[in-house]
């Protein structure tokens, strides 16, 4: 079944590959990292581990991955007058592609 190729088991939960990688992060810092080397930066699911991220990038973009580094970004406390709330925590993944691999098409011109 084709759907099984797009499923990743993370511990006890099952996520689709498109749920593992939420969005690419394009800031000044990530643009410099991408131009200097072969590193892409993504916002990923907080429950995803490095193996899940590697599989998702390789299957979605067709590029071989050399290494994956992750970091947790803690949500900020925000106030609006006397009311305060908290943004949710999120996870960031630095994905380094192997030598000779090309960047995905949507990031080549950015």
């Amino acid at each position: 079944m084709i759907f099984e190729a797009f499923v990743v088991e993370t511990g006890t939960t099952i996520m689709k590959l498109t749920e593992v990688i939420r969005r690419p992060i394009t800031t000044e810092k990530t643009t410099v990292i991408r131009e200097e080397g072969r590193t892409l930066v993504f916002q990923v699911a907080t429950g995803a581990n490095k193996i899940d991220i590697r599989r998702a990038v390789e299957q979605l973009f067709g590029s071989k991955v050399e290494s994956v580094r992750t970091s947790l970004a803690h949500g900020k406390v925000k106030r609006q007058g006397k009311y305060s709330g908290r943004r949710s925590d999120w996870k960031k993944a630095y994905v380094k592609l192997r030598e000779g691999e090309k960047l995905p098409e949507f990031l080549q011109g950015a």
Side-chain angles (χ1 to χ4, degrees):
M1 184 178 212
I2 294 174
F3 183 74
E4 291 177 351
F6 294 99
V7 172
V8 175
E9 291 188 34
T10 58
T12 58
T13 60
I14 296 177
M15 288 190 284
K16 294 180 186 176
L17 294 178
T18 54
E19 292 174 354
V20 173
I21 296 178
R22 300 272 169 89
R23 66 182 180 98
I25 298 175
T26 53
T27 60
E28 268 187 65
K29 181 180 177 181
T30 61
T31 305
V32 170
I33 291 172
R34 185 176 63 239
E35 289 173 355
E36 288 178 354
R38 308 171 308 273
T39 304
L40 306 174
V41 184
F42 297 102
Q43 179 181 355
V44 296
T46 54
N49 57 25
K50 292 180 181 184
I51 298 168
D52 298 334
I53 296 167
R54 175 188 298 261
R55 287 180 186 159
V57 169
E58 287 179 350
Q59 288 185 9
L60 289 175
F61 303 125
S63 300
K64 295 294 181 183
V65 175
E66 183 177 318
S67 65
V68 176
R69 295 176 299 154
T70 59
S71 67
L72 287 174
H74 297 288
K76 297 179 179 180
V77 175
K78 290 293 194 175
R79 290 178 42 108
Q80 181 69 36
K82 67 177 183 177
Y83 303 104
S84 66
R86 189 170 184 279
R87 289 185 183 169
S88 57
D89 298 341
W90 57 284
K91 194 174 200 177
K92 188 187 313 186
Y94 295 88
V95 179
K96 186 171 185 179
L97 301 178
R98 286 188 188 167
E99 189 70 40
E101 292 291 329
K102 62 178 187 162
L103 295 174
E105 293 83 23
F106 69 92
L107 289 174
Q108 286 181 355

